[in-house]
C-alpha cells in the first residue's frame, strides 16, 4: 500500500497503468521471483489525478494504491511493501520497451511484492492495481476496455503476471587440494589442505555470488584422523565435536595456519600422522546459512571419508563428496 499527500482535491483519474518494472511497456507480461520471502519484484504504478476543473493534481492524503487480483483470488500469499529489498531481482531477461516520453503531469509509484509460500511448485497470479480515496475506486481489471493507461470513463485495463518459483540447487565443483601447511604443531605432525569451491547457478551458468550478511551455522566432518571444516568469507567455521584430548588444541592451532580472504568459500582438511588417535566419526555434515544475492539459502552437504591405513606414507588419504541443497 502506498499513500501520497497533497493539498489539492482530486475527484478522478484520467490515467492509470500497472506494469512489472522488468517488462515495462508490455501488458500482462510474466515476471518471476524466488519464493524465499526475501527477494522482491518491483511493480510500477503510473497515474494522473484531476480535480473538478480537469486540472492535473496529486492524490489526496487518504488515497491508497494497492495490488488486487485481476480476476478471482490469488493462488498464493503475496506480501506488498513500499521498501525495496537488499537482494537482487530474479535473474531473467528483461524486456523493457522504449516508450514515448512520459507525461510530466503523471505520478509514478513503486510497490515491492514478495512471496514466502513453502512449496516446491511454481505459483502464478495475475495482478491489477486499485486506487481508492473518499469513496472513489479506480481499478485496472476491466477487460472490456482497451489496454493502456488512458482508460474509458474511469475504467482501466492493465495487468502483469508474477510467478513464484522454488530455489534451484547450485552445481558445486572443487579445485585440486592446495597444501597450506605441513609440519609439527604442539608436538604432533599434521597437514592442512584447502579445497576451493565454485558454485554455479543452474539457470544463468554464472558463479554464485553470496550475501555476506547472512549468519552461518558452524560445521565439521570428522573421520578417523581427519577433520573437514568450512570457510565462509572471513571466518573459519569449525565446530569440532569430541576431539581426542591429545589433539584438541593442536587441531585448532592447525586451522589457524590458514587466513581466510574476502569472498572465500572453501573447505579445509586437517590430518594427523598419529592414526591411532581418532575423532568421533561424523562423516556427513551440512554447512548451512549462506544466502546467495537472490536471498536463497545455499547449504553445502559435506561427506568426508578417511582412507584409514597403518602405512605411514598414506595417513593423509581421504575422499570428499560435496553437494548443495536449498534447505
Amino acid at each position: 500500500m502506498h499513500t501520497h499527500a497533497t493539498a489539492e482535491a482530486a475527484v478522478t483519474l484520467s490515467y492509470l497503468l500497472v506494469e512489472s518494472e522488468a517488462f515495462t511497456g508490455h501488458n500482462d507480461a510474466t515476471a518471476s521471483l524466488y519464493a524465499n520471502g526475501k527477494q522482491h519484484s518491483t511493480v510500477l504504478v503510473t497515474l494522473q489525478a484531476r480535480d473538478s476543473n480537469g486540472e492535473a493534481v496529486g492524490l489526496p492524503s487518504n488515497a491508497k494504491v494497492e495490488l488486487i487480483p485481476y480476476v478471482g483470488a490469488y493462488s498464493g500469499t503475496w506480501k506488498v511493501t513500499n521498501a525495496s529489498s537488499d537482494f537482487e531481482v530474479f535473474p531473467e531477461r528483461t524486456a523493457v520497451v522504449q516508450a514515448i516520453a512520459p507525461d510530466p503531469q503523471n505520478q509514478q509509484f513503486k510497490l515491492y511484492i514478495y512471496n514466502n509460500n513453502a512449496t516446491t511448485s511454481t505459483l502464478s497470479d495475475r495482478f491489477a492495481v486499485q486506487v481508492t480515496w473518499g469513496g472513489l475506486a479506480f481499478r485496472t481489471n476491466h477487460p472490456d476496455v482497451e489496454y493502456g493507461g488512458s482508460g474509458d470513463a474511469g475504467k482501466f485495463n492493465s495487468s502483469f503476471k508474477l510467478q513464484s518459483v522454488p530455489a534451484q540447487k547450485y552445481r558445486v565443483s572443487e579445485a585440486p587440494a592446495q597444501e597450506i601447511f605441513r609440519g609439527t604443531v604442539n608436538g604432533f605432525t599434521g597437514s592442512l589442505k584447502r579445497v576451493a569451491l565454485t558454485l554455479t547457478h543452474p539457470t544463468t551458468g554464472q558463479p554464485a555470488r553470496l550475501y555476506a550478511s547472512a549468519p552461518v551455522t558452524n560445521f565439521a566432518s570428522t573421520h578417523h584422523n581427519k577433520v573437514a571444516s568450512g570457510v565462509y568469507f572471513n571466518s573459519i567455521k569449525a565446530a569440532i565435536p569430541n576431539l581426542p584430548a591429545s589433539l584438541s588444541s593442536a587441531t585448532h592451532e592447525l586451522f589457524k595456519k590458514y587466513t581466510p580472504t574476502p569472498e572465500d568459500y572453501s573447505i579445509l582438511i586437517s590430518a594427523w600422522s598419529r592414526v591411532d588417535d581418532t575423532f568421533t566419526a561424523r562423516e556427513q555434515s551440512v554447512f548451512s546459512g549462506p544466502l546467495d544475492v537472490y536471498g536463497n539459502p545455499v547449504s553445502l552437504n559435506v561427506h568426508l571419508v578417511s582412507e584409514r591405513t597403518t602405512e605411514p606414507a598414506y595417513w593423509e588419504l581421504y575422499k570428499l563428496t560435496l553437494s548443495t541443497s536449498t534447505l
Side-chain angles (χ1 to χ4, degrees):
M1 184 182 297
H2 196 106
T3 60
H4 183 81
T6 180
E8 302 293 341
V11 298
T12 190
L13 294 183
S14 59
Y15 190 93
L16 181 59
L17 182 73
V18 64
E19 303 172 291
S20 166
E21 185 178 55
F23 297 94
T24 303
H26 292 264
N27 181 40
D28 205 28
T30 300
S32 302
L33 83 167
Y34 289 115
N36 55 30
K38 298 177 178 63
Q39 185 184 51
H40 293 175
S41 184
T42 305
V43 181
L44 299 179
V45 179
T46 307
L47 60 83
Q48 188 174 118
R50 294 189 177 274
D51 62 16
S52 58
N53 297 316
E55 298 295 326
V57 294
L59 289 178
S61 60
N62 62 338
K64 296 180 180 178
V65 180
E66 54 193 342
L67 298 178
I68 60 172
Y70 188 85
V71 64
Y74 295 136
S75 62
T77 302
W78 304 93
K79 304 291 186 180
V80 180
T81 177
N82 296 327
S84 60
S85 169
D86 289 338
F87 296 95
E88 295 185 11
V89 298
F90 192 85
E92 62 188 347
R93 290 186 177 180
T94 58
V96 176
V97 172
Q98 185 63 42
I100 58 175
D103 190 324
Q105 295 180 319
N106 286 349
Q107 293 176 266
Q108 189 170 79
F109 306 103
K110 285 188 177 183
L111 302 177
Y112 303 93
I113 186 169
Y114 62 96
N115 183 292
N116 58 355
N117 289 129
T119 177
T120 57
S121 59
T122 298
L123 297 175
S124 181
D125 280 307
R126 188 180 183 187
F127 297 83
V129 70
Q130 175 177 270
V131 181
T132 58
W133 75 90
L136 299 173
F138 301 90
R139 297 182 293 272
T140 65
N141 60 348
H142 296 282
D144 55 317
V145 176
E146 183 179 357
Y147 164 75
S150 298
D152 183 13
K155 297 168 65 177
F156 302 90
N157 182 25
S158 61
S159 63
F160 69 95
K161 290 191 180 77
L162 185 61
Q163 60 179 7
S164 174
V165 301
Q168 299 171 293
K169 293 182 180 179
Y170 279 84
R171 296 189 295 269
V172 58
S173 59
E174 56 194 90
Q178 171 194 10
E179 185 169 273
I180 302 300
F181 175 82
R182 174 186 293 271
T184 301
V185 178
N186 292 3
F188 300 100
T189 300
S191 70
L192 184 66
K193 293 181 172 63
R194 173 180 177 260
V195 178
L197 305 180
T198 299
L199 303 179
T200 305
H201 193 280
T203 299
T204 65
Q206 299 299 311
R209 290 174 294 125
L210 300 179
Y211 185 71
S213 299
V216 180
T217 301
N218 295 353
F219 88 94
S221 294
T222 55
H223 196 208
H224 295 158
N225 63 328
K226 299 175 182 67
V227 177
S229 172
V231 177
Y232 176 64
F233 285 83
N234 287 314
S235 61
I236 299 174
K237 303 299 181 179
I240 309 170
N242 304 318
L243 287 172
S246 59
L247 291 176
S248 178
S249 61
T251 298
H252 287 288
E253 288 299 317
L254 184 57
F255 279 113
K256 292 179 182 179
K257 300 293 184 182
Y258 178 70
T259 301
T261 59
E263 308 267 340
D264 196 341
Y265 196 59
S266 56
I267 301 293
L268 295 180
I269 300 172
S270 67
W272 297 102
S273 63
R274 290 180 56 164
V275 295
D276 290 335
D277 288 329
T278 62
F279 301 102
T280 300
R282 187 171 68 172
E283 299 176 20
Q284 298 189 54
S285 62
V286 178
F287 186 19
S288 61
L291 301 177
D292 67 10
V293 293
Y294 309 116
N296 293 321
V298 183
S299 294
L300 183 67
N301 306 310
V302 180
H303 189 181
L304 172 72
V305 176
S306 171
E307 300 291 339
R308 190 173 187 181
T309 175
T310 58
E311 293 291 331
Y314 300 110
W315 56 271
E316 296 177 90
L317 294 180
Y318 66 89
K319 179 180 180 181
L320 190 67
T321 304
L322 306 173
S323 63
T324 62
S325 67
T326 57
L327 300 178

